[in-house]
């Protein structure tokens, strides 16, 4: 990851927010266990690093799955009609996310490490939509959302769904470039900004 996001305190004697939270929840002093190699403070730093590393890929992919789960399921009567309306509203771009083209174990592949597959399909779908198609797709999605459970429906709910899917897919795609980054890349990034 180019930017090492840290919530740690700038002062070595001060405990950061996560360390204080863990100490309170665990009811353990921050240096517990004393004279041990791994303390509550260390666990807090590990947790912060782990959340930064997974937030842009696994969590964003999980969120994409949640977004699709809010839509009618393929194979059901409601789902068959819904996905046909999506295809009609979205034109050829809709084939990127249509169950007939993306069905089977596609969502399962996330567990096998294909973390960019759904994201790239969502981005391709949205990129191909014209403004009028995007409006039609938003209305179609919004009409299928359960306004009672989610709190919004109609075109506005569909627009929120599309924006959320777009940003979640973008986070997955952006995180994919980390696989090719090295510590030298990170240092070059920081050095360039120091000199700017």
């Amino acid at each position: 990851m180019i930017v090492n996001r840290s919530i740690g305190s700038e002062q070595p004697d001060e405990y950061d927010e996560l360390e204080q939270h863990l100490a309170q929840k665990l009811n353990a002093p921050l240096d517990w266990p004393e004279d041990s190699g791994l303390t509550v403070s260390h666990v807090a730093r590990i947790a912060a690093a782990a959340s930064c590393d997974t937030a842009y890929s696994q969590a964003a992919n999980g969120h994409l799955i949640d977004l699709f789960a809010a839509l009618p399921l393929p194979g059901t009567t409601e789902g068959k009609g819904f996905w046909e309306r999506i295809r009609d509203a979205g034109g050829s771009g809709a084939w990127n996310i249509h169950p007939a083209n993306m069905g089977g174990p596609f969502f399962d592949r996330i567990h096998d490490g294909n973390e960019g597959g759904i994201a790239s399909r969502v981005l391709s779908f949205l990129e191909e939509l014209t403004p009028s198609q995007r409006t039609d797709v938003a209305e179609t999605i919004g009409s299928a959302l359960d306004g009672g459970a989610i709190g919004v429906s109609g075109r506005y709910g569909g627009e929120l769904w599309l924006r959320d899917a777009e940003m979640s897919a973008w986070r997955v795609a952006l995180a994919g470039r980390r696989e090719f980054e090295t510590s030298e890349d990170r240092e070059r990034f920081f050095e360039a900004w120091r000199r700017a």
Side-chain angles (χ1 to χ4, degrees), residues 4 6-17 19 45:
N4 182 15
S6 174
I7 60 172
S9 173
E10 296 296 321
Q11 303 298 323
D13 296 353
E14 294 180 19
Y15 297 115
D16 67 34
E17 185 178 342
E19 290 172 330
R45 294 186 192 288

Side-chain angles (χ1 to χ4, degrees), residues 77-116:
T77 304
E78 181 187 10
K80 183 175 183 324
F82 169 79
W83 288 104
E84 294 310 310
R85 289 191 306 277
I86 287 290
R87 193 189 67 211
D88 293 343
S92 62
W95 283 109
N96 285 294
I97 64 164
H98 195 281
N101 193 36
M102 194 173 93
F106 205 88
F107 283 101
D108 291 332
R109 291 185 188 136
I110 288 176
H111 298 294
D112 298 330
N114 181 11
E115 294 192 351

Side-chain angles (χ1 to χ4, degrees), residues 1-171:
M1 177 164 49
I2 284 279
V3 180
N4 182 15
R5 299 168 70 183
S6 174
I7 60 172
S9 173
E10 296 296 321
Q11 303 298 323
D13 296 353
E14 294 180 19
Y15 297 115
D16 67 34
E17 185 178 342
L18 182 58
E19 290 172 330
Q20 292 174 23
H21 174 77
L22 286 175
Q24 181 181 10
K25 289 295 181 188
L26 297 175
N27 193 25
L30 288 166
D31 60 352
W32 178 84
E34 291 180 27
D35 301 326
S36 176
L38 186 65
T39 65
V40 171
S41 182
H42 291 123
V43 170
R45 294 186 192 288
I46 293 167
S51 67
C52 288
D53 273 347
T54 61
Y56 286 164
S57 54
Q58 294 171 351
N61 260 321
H63 190 66
L64 278 173
I65 291 171
D66 286 344
L67 287 168
F68 275 90
L71 302 176
L73 295 173
T76 64
T77 304
E78 181 187 10
K80 183 175 183 324
F82 169 79
W83 288 104
E84 294 310 310
R85 289 191 306 277
I86 287 290
R87 193 189 67 211
D88 293 343
S92 62
W95 283 109
N96 285 294
I97 64 164
H98 195 281
N101 193 36
M102 194 173 93
F106 205 88
F107 283 101
D108 291 332
R109 291 185 188 136
I110 288 176
H111 298 294
D112 298 330
N114 181 11
E115 294 192 351
I118 294 172
S120 64
R121 284 179 171 266
V122 168
L123 290 173
S124 294
F125 164 59
L126 293 169
E127 180 182 23
E128 292 182 37
L129 294 178
T130 65
S132 63
Q133 286 176 323
R134 189 170 174 124
T135 298
D136 292 345
V137 167
E139 288 176 0
T140 302
I141 289 173
S143 69
L145 294 176
D146 182 356
I150 297 176
V152 294
S153 60
R155 182 173 159 200
Y156 178 64
E159 289 172 357
L160 290 175
W161 191 99
L162 289 173
R163 280 186 268 173
D164 199 355
E166 192 167 40
M167 291 311 300
S168 296
W170 168 244
R171 287 183 183 103

